[in-house]
Amino acid sequence: MSNPNEEIMKAIAAHSNLGSYDAARENFSWQEIERQFTWSDTGRINMAFEAIDRHADSGLKDKVALYYSDDNRDESYTFGEMKRNSNRFGNVLRKAGIAKGDRIFIFMPRTPELYFALLGSLKIGAIVGPLFEAFMETAVRDRLEDSSAVAIITTPALLSRVPVGELPSLKHVILVGHDIEPAEGRYDFYKEMEEASEELQIEWMDREDGMLLHYTSGSTGKPKGVYHVHNAMIHHYYTGKIVLDLNENDVYWCTADPGWVTGTSYGIFAPWLNGATNVVRGGRFSPQSWYKTIERYRITVWYSAPTAFRMLMGAGDEAVKEIDLSSLRHVLSVGEPLNPEVVRWGMKVYGQRIHDTWWMTETGGQLICNYPSMDIKPGSMGKPIPGVDAAIVDDNGKVLPPFRMGNLAIRTPWPAMMRKVWNNPAKYEEYFRLTGWYVSGDSAYMDDEGYFWFQGRVDDVINTAGERVGPFEVESKLVEHPAVAEAGVIGKPDPVRGEVIKAFISLREGYAPSEELKADISKFVKEGLSAHAAPREIEFKDKLPKTRSGKIMRRVLKAWELNLPSGDMSTIED
Ligand code: WTA
């Protein structure tokens, strides 16, 4: 059988002549690309096999798949080693009785073990829920509870945030650390790995079988589990090629954590499906360590986010001059609006156009992008990639003409599209309420050349430093604080982070406003939920604006904050 990827490459080359956007669009069909994927003899697939084993079993066996460094570690792993380590981990899980379809969470810092664990879990057909290391107990509990997770892979330092005793489904805790006392349901990662075989019988999956659960925020309710399937690989492979422009000679760095969909779709799958070398840098952000990472590994393709670029811009042009960034040939951004000013700065100091890309946790893969051969319009997210239809529609699903602002919608389906919201079919249906369209929740307009321009969210979802925060989740935590009677949370515009979280709070009887109380309330959210969800600003109010049905009107809070008219007040309580 021929190499399926070679076939796809040919199909893409034939149909998406990147020099001609219009021709590529006209001739493109996902079916054509899909048909090239004949997979194994059984017609079944597995993402981890395609990303790692296929290369390990071919000429790329000894090629470095992963470079990892942080302040204490400095390592590299070939595709062959990634295959063996993920096989071992698959066996560790099987031995514990974990099987296809089980939900497994990974809650640990970005180290090579995280990647072995994630790939190994996929190899046995488990559904992986990656969690940010910054999550505190409530955030962890909500997600494990909702999905009835059976296992978690974490570190001794993070274990106190996992309320094991309160989660009846959670049977297995695998600890990545030293001096672990094994006990019933508790495993020493390194010891288990050492004892496990390097040979694994991969679980072959149907294309529509579950792969990932990425919890993300909406404007109402708790975070929802966005469910992705193995079929998404078609999309990751394709966009890895035409948007990231990756090939086997690239050394690629995606700065996102796998707790975020960018860190899986484009931090794991797209680069490895394309046989590129992947760089992971652990530890905290600093301009120096980031630039050094590019210089040291001679990174060729770099995918990051506007907040990071703004912070680098803030660190000054001098910081760049001391570093050799000549290896860079392609730079991309995702997650929040990319300011034209940042694009211009990138051209000046990196000699690179920063290519904006738009997509969401729910979409699983990039949809609207500036890709290498296109002319960039600084401030625009780009155009729908060949194979994707996007439009601006009104609330009835009518397509609007250029320059009219409305709902950014995508014609369904596409390969990486979420297949459900865990435990919540009603929530899922909401996205598809306009027949034939996925409604993103973003507002935008399209110009007369087909470029899309982001305008904002239509709902109350906050985007702070590229992280999606649901105001409801923060409000729920705030009202658990003994001093807080009611809370309303909004995103306040911020020059570096895009938005910061601001909470309006009315206090309970017996509590007086003070700076100490503000600090205490903020700390309460930080320690209960997560640092990025904690309000940076708090304002006390005697009363919060509410609808007659008792819903806090965040729209009015936002208008107060921005000194804007409050709009339609007909539903306000008094
Ligand atoms: C926002 C997954 C402007 C948008 C990648 C979207 C963007 C939300 C861009 C998804 C962009 C993402 N320009 N806004 N290029 N990319 N967004 O699921 O509001 O965490 O709906 O991101 O981020 O957030 P998520």
Side-chain angles (χ1 to χ4, degrees), residues 15-16 22 282 401 568:
H15 292 293
S16 64
D22 292 333
D568 179 9

Side-chain angles (χ1 to χ4, degrees), residues 252-427:
Y252 165 78
W253 186 28
C254 169
T255 60
D257 188 285
W260 188 36
V261 69
T262 307
T264 53
S265 296
Y266 295 100
I268 297 179
F269 306 135
W272 282 334
L273 285 168
N274 282 287
T277 295
N278 213 359
V279 172
V280 173
R281 165 83 200 161
R284 288 189 157 268
F285 169 86
S286 85
Q288 273 312 313
S289 79
W290 275 36
Y291 286 143
K292 287 264 185 247
T293 300
I294 297 173
E295 183 178 60
R296 169 170 180 208
Y297 296 108
R298 300 213 49 80
I299 307 274
T300 56
V301 181
W302 181 28
Y303 198 15
S304 195
T307 292
F309 289 121
R310 287 189 294 260
M311 284 159 84
L312 291 168
M313 192 167 89
D317 300 4
E318 287 305 309
V320 183
K321 292 206 180 102
E322 296 150 22
I323 302 273
D324 178 8
L325 300 179
S326 61
S327 58
L328 281 179
R329 67 171 182 82
H330 189 31
V331 183
L332 305 100
S333 171
V334 65
E336 12 157 7
L338 180 65
N339 328 63
E341 188 191 339
V342 176
V343 177
R344 284 190 285 268
W345 172 81
M347 291 201 246
K348 190 178 92 194
V349 299
Y350 302 150
Q352 292 290 328
R353 304 176 300 173
I354 304 177
H355 295 70
D356 196 9
T357 63
W358 177 91
W359 57 293
M360 304 174 67
T361 305
E362 292 86 336
T363 74
Q366 298 160 334
L367 296 177
I368 297 180
C369 302
N370 292 279
Y371 51 81
S373 61
M374 273 171 49
D375 282 335
I376 285 183
K377 294 190 184 182
S380 161
M381 310 187 287
K383 296 185 185 187
I385 57 174
V388 167
D389 258 325
I392 304 300
V393 302
D394 69 12
D395 291 341
N396 301 313
K398 190 174 141 264
V399 175
L400 297 173
F403 296 109
R404 285 277 301 280
M405 193 168 134
N407 302 295
L408 173 55
I410 311 293
R411 179 73 70 194
T412 56
W414 58 93
M417 187 175 94
M418 64 170 171
R419 297 300 200 266
K420 59 183 168 188
V421 172
W422 193 262
N423 257 342
N424 201 337
K427 200 100 203 172

Side-chain angles (χ1 to χ4, degrees), residues 93 102-106 117-123 125-131 153 210-214 226 264:
L93 295 178
D102 285 342
R103 274 78 62 209
I104 302 188
F105 279 71
I106 301 184
L118 197 144
L119 293 162
S121 301
L122 296 186
K123 282 186 171 178
I127 299 171
V128 176
L131 298 177
I153 301 133
M211 175 173 78
L212 285 181
L213 261 188
H214 266 296
V226 172
T264 53

Side-chain angles (χ1 to χ4, degrees), residues 463-484:
N463 191 330
T464 178
E467 303 211 32
R468 239 165 107 171
V469 177
F472 177 80
E473 203 184 350
V474 183
E475 289 161 0
S476 304
K477 191 81 222 168
L478 283 168
V479 297
E480 287 176 20
H481 188 283
V484 177

